[in-house]
């Protein structure tokens, strides 16, 4: 008996040693961090799974330990970055006396008042900083001329002056110009009327540091949801953390909360979350949330750039979320209801946003909805509408595919064929215009004005969706995953980063995007990329003990991005999807459940997923091994195909044994984080196109009408020809990496351009706005001047660009929902949409230009009509208004 007990004790000791070796083995290792079976280590920081329901972490943001006394800042009139050029700033080293500093600067004149600071020396806590801004030159111009000329030549009229604010990158300051008005202390005021505006800030305020918890233990009952167990305690604990945070993300009205710091339901956030895992885990909440984003039988585009729709058009990801919900539940009533909503929305988009020349769809980057975070600063909302983005186009492709599949199920064969063909046109356009064969992945977007070029940056979510939704063919899928740049802490939203823009979308990794990248990597069969993606999701969740919204790509830190929420819905949804859709490879089909597991060799072992409810069945799943090939699949002890019919009922056991097959060699393009150089600013004078030197540039490429013309190390070019032409210049650094292209400047013999004053064709408005052309302007709204017709006589046949000079002061440039939309008709036939985005709250003297519509016109008479049609409704529904000043027609060719 004693020998038997000794043997059992030794056996137990051996088992414990094996178990410890298994749980602590290295899963993923990089120069930045290491993930083990039970912990994450990053330098001096360590997070550990104490059990499958508890985690600890000693992570403290390095950002909170640093606070340099040298501050970089700027001022903003009317919440715009309009004080000086992007490369120019004010700099000050704060040297407090009795806890206080006073700084006086003049608007528009860069000032530098700095001293050397020893590394590691911080500003004294709770320093009061009094900022005084001399605005007397601005006010003098208002009084003498009625307007002040900004650095870029724009006129700011006295009536449009709403306030002046301070911006910067040191907390509590922010570079988020559009939202400076939300913090009262950012606004400078002049109560005594002496022209010196003032505010006071508390710098390095103690108690306001961004911190994370040191312990997490499961506090919610999550037994109603699938239970996951594996040989890796870290994975198990993070799964349970995500389940708990999911329960916290449900509001009392049974809709999803976007994040701890983000109240409400957002179309894109809930849709991407539902596709990842919420359609299965929370079908009722998913349905209620989707319906919350429907108005007048159409999908709501969230507020955003220029009053959003149709500047932003990524609302159509709702369609795939609705389809995922149907596949998970089999709810035929939902199928019919969502089909009608998607149908109405797609049909509106076809008239307001589809480009029938390229086959692509106009609109802002999906989810990347903060203008300067991913676009060059010169791009106005109308320019962003006219751009054609990778991710947004993949979303529209998928929406048409979903509509076709739904039509098939609802026995509408004609509609099924039509929308499948529409999807084919978008897919063809993506592969024609956005694919970069030399890089092996897709470009970011087409951008410009009358002639567009491709931005060679990658867009992580768009790249992932192109693989997942089969826009890319088999060769392209493999290439996209192998060649898209991956930084130390994961796949950044874009690459390379944009200079002078603080982290949020720029220089940031978003865990939900990383999760989509994991799904795409599994689909492409790339083991190395799948493992890196899992690690890149697990690292921040473990160290921060929450599923954060984002983190800085260059440091991996949650502090430093402009906005960051804990308990973020799409981040936790992505974390859960790694288990369901990658490890177990669960795929919902309309009539069955498929399994195609993908287990990297480093995660080989035994795992289970119990209490997995599929329609009327409850599945208890066991899986052993590694790889992506199933050796055996048993349902209730009997060999079966890895497919569960939707008709199955009751409780069942599934056992999956993987073949332990070595995956084919895979590679990744792991790179150091990198920021491109700034873009040039070009101008034309006396037939010379010139630009300022860009720091770090070794050469420049001049573009004419979107095509490379010449490469030079100089700073000017003598133009040739007399026809309409748009010139741009791109700067290249020593590594051959390009900047954004400069704003297009027009060289045009005026005999090819025509301007038509709108007040000659409709009643002149009576408002007292300034800076218009001619004798006045015309108000258009849902009740006024719904149709304006302008007869023209063309002396020469050719391709013409038609756009409008307009004002829209119904909202700020960055949010709200009052973008005006009209339909352009030529001789009674629809030619395209004219989009008139918001340009600033009550800034009715701030005139700009709409998008341009290209039309072929024959010699002779034509009737050009601008009309308001039923499909031109914006998301506001009531206010669809602008002031029209002039119509411009340019002969292109």
């Amino acid at each position: 008996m004693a020998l038997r007990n000794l043997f059992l004790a030794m056996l137990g000791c051996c088992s414990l040693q094996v178990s410890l070796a298994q749980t602590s083995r290295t899963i993923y290792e990089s120069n930045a961090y290491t993930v083990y079976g039970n912990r994450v280590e990053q330098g001096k920081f360590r997070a550990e799974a104490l059990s499958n329901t508890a985690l600890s972490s000693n992570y403290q943001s390095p950002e909170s330990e640093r606070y340099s006394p040298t501050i970089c800042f700027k001022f903003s009139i009317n919440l715009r970055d309009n004080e000086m050029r992007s490369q120019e700033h004010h700099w000050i080293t704060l040297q407090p006396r009795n806890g206080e500093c006073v700084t006086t600067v003049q608007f528009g004149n860069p000032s530098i008042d700095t001293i050397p600071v020893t590394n590691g020396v911080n500003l004294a806590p709770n320093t009061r900083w009094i900022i005084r801004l001399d605005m007397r030159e601005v006010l003098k111009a208002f009084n003498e001329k009625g307007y002040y000329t900004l650095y870029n030549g724009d006129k700011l009229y006295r009536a449009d002056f709403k306030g002046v604010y301070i911006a910067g990158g040191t907390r509590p300051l922010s570079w988020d110009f559009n939202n400076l008005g939300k913090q009262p202390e950012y606004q400078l005021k002049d109560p005594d009327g002496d022209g010196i505006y003032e505010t006071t800030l508390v710098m390095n305020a103690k108690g306001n540091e961004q911190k994370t918890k040191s312990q997490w233990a499961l506090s919610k009952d999550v037994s109603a949801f699938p239970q996951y167990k594996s040989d890796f305690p870290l994975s198990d604990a993070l799964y349970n953390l995500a389940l708990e945070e999911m329960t916290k993300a449900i509001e009392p009205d049974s809709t999803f909360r976007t994040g701890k710091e983000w109240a409400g339901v957002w179309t894109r956030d809930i849709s991407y979350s539902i596709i990842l895992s919420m359609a299965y885990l929370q079908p009722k909440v998913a349905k209620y949330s989707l319906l919350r984003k429907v108005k007048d039988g159409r999908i709501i585009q969230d507020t955003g750039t220029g009053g959003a729709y149709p500047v932003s058009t990524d609302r159509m990801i709702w369609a795939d979320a609705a389809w995922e919900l149907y596949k998970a539940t089999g709810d035929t009533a939902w199928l019919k209801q969502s089909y009608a909503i998607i149908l109405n929305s797609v049909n509106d988009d076809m008239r307001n946003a589809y480009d029938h020349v390229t086959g692509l769809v106009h609109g802002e980057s999906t989810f990347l909805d903060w203008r300067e975070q991913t676009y060059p600063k010169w791009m106005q909302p109308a320019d962003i509408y006219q751009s054609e983005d990778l991710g947004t186009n993949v979303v529209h492709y998928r929406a048409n595919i979903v509509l076709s599949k739904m039509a098939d199920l609802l026995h509408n064969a004609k509609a099924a064929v039509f929308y499948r063909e529409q999807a084919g046109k978008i897919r063809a356009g993506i592969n024609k215009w956005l694919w970069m064969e030399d890089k092996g992945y897709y470009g970011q977007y087409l951008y410009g004005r009358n002639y567009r070029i491709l931005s060679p940056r990658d867009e992580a979510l768009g790249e992932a969706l192109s693989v997942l939704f089969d826009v890319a063919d088999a060769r392209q899928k493999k290439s996209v995953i192998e060649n898209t740049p991956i930084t130390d802490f994961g796949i950044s939203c874009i690459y390379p980063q944009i200079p002078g823009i603080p982290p949020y979308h720029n220089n940031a990794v978003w865990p939900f995007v990383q999760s989509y990248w994991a799904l795409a990597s599994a689909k492409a069969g790339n083991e190395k990329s799948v493992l890196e993606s899992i690690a890149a999701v697990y690292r921040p969740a473990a160290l921060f003990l929450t599923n954060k919204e984002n983190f800085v790509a260059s440091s991996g830190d949650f502090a430093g991005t402009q906005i960051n929420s804990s308990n973020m819905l799409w981040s936790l949804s992505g974390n859960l999807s790694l288990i369901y859709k990658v490890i177990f490879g669960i795929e919902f089909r309309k009539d069955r459940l498929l399994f195609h597991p993908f287990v990297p060799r480093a995660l080989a072992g035994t795992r289970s997923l119990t209490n997995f409810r599929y329609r009327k069945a409850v599945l208890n799943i066991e899986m052993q091994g590694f790889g992506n090939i199933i050796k055996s699949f048993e349902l209730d002890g009997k060999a079966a195909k890895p497919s569960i019919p939707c008709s199955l009922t009751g409780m069942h056991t599934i056992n999956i044994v993987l073949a332990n097959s070595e995956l084919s060699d895979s590679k990744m393009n792991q790179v150091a984080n990198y920021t491109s150089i700034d873009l040039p600013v070009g101008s034309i004078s006396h037939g010379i196109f010139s630009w300022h030197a860009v720091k770090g540039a070794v050469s420049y490429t001049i573009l004419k009408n979107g095509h490379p013309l010449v490469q030079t190390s100089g700073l000017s070019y003598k133009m040739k020809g007399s026809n309409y032409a748009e010139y741009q210049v791109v700067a290249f650094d020593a590594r051959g990496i390009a900047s954004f292209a400069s704003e297009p400047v027009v060289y045009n013999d005026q005999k090819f351009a025509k301007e038509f004053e709108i007040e000659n064709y409709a009643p002149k408005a009576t408002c007292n706005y300034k800076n218009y052309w001619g004798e006045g302007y015309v108000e258009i709204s849902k009740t006024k001047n719904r149709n304006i017709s302008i007869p023209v006589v063309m002396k020469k046949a050719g391709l013409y660009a038609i756009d409008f000079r307009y004002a829209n002061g119904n909202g700020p440039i960055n949010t709200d929902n009052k973008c005006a939309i009209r339909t352009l008709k030529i001789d009674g036939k629809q030619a395209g949409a004219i989009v008139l985005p918001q340009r600033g709250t009550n800034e009715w003297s701030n005139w700009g230009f709409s998008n341009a519509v290209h039309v072929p016109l024959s010699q002779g008479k034509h009737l050009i009509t601008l009309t308001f049609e039923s499909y031109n409704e914006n998301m506001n529904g009531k206010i669809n208004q602008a002031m029209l000043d002039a119509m411009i027609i340019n002969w292109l060719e």
Side-chain angles (χ1 to χ4, degrees), residues 674-708:
Y674 192 77
T675 300
S676 69
I677 57 177
D678 211 344
L679 79 170
V681 177
S683 61
I684 291 177
S685 179
H686 305 293
I688 302 294
F689 176 47
S690 61
W691 54 94
H692 295 289
V694 173
K695 183 179 180 181
V698 298
S699 67
Y700 302 90
T701 295
I702 300 165
L703 308 177
K704 179 181 179 182
N705 295 342
H707 297 290

Side-chain angles (χ1 to χ4, degrees), residues 105 134 174 182 191 219 306 342 426 452 508 533 539 631 713 788:
V105 295
D134 186 345
S174 169
K182 294 180 179 180
S219 60
I342 299 166
I426 297 171
R452 283 168 290 173
S533 293
R539 181 202 68 86
K631 180 180 179 181
S713 59
I788 299 176

Side-chain angles (χ1 to χ4, degrees), residues 718-828:
K718 183 173 177 58
M719 296 174 295
K720 302 173 184 177
S722 59
N723 292 347
Y724 179 97
E726 287 183 353
Y727 283 85
Q728 295 172 275
V729 59
V730 178
F732 287 84
D733 64 16
R735 292 177 53 177
I737 294 178
S739 71
F740 277 130
S742 64
E743 181 174 9
V745 290
V746 175
Y747 177 66
N748 187 8
D749 185 327
Q750 289 302 308
K751 70 181 180 180
F752 294 112
K754 289 190 175 185
E755 296 172 3
F756 299 81
E757 292 295 334
I758 303 297
E759 67 271 17
N760 295 331
Y761 306 94
K764 185 164 60 174
T766 58
C767 313
N768 188 29
Y769 304 142
K770 308 293 184 182
N771 202 28
Y772 52 84
W773 294 350
E775 300 300 319
Y777 47 89
V778 171
E779 179 182 358
I780 59 171
S781 69
K782 293 181 70 173
T783 58
K784 294 181 180 180
N785 299 308
R786 289 171 60 101
N787 297 277
I788 299 176
S789 293
I790 304 172
V792 301
V793 177
M794 310 313 296
K795 295 181 180 180
K796 182 177 182 179
L799 181 67
Y800 291 83
I802 301 176
D803 66 338
F804 291 81
R805 190 171 190 258
Y806 80 100
N808 183 345
N810 283 310
I813 199 169
N814 67 311
T815 188
D816 219 329
N817 57 8
K818 303 183 188 75
C819 177
I821 314 167
R822 294 298 183 271
T823 293
L824 183 71
K825 294 182 179 180
I826 307 295
D827 301 326

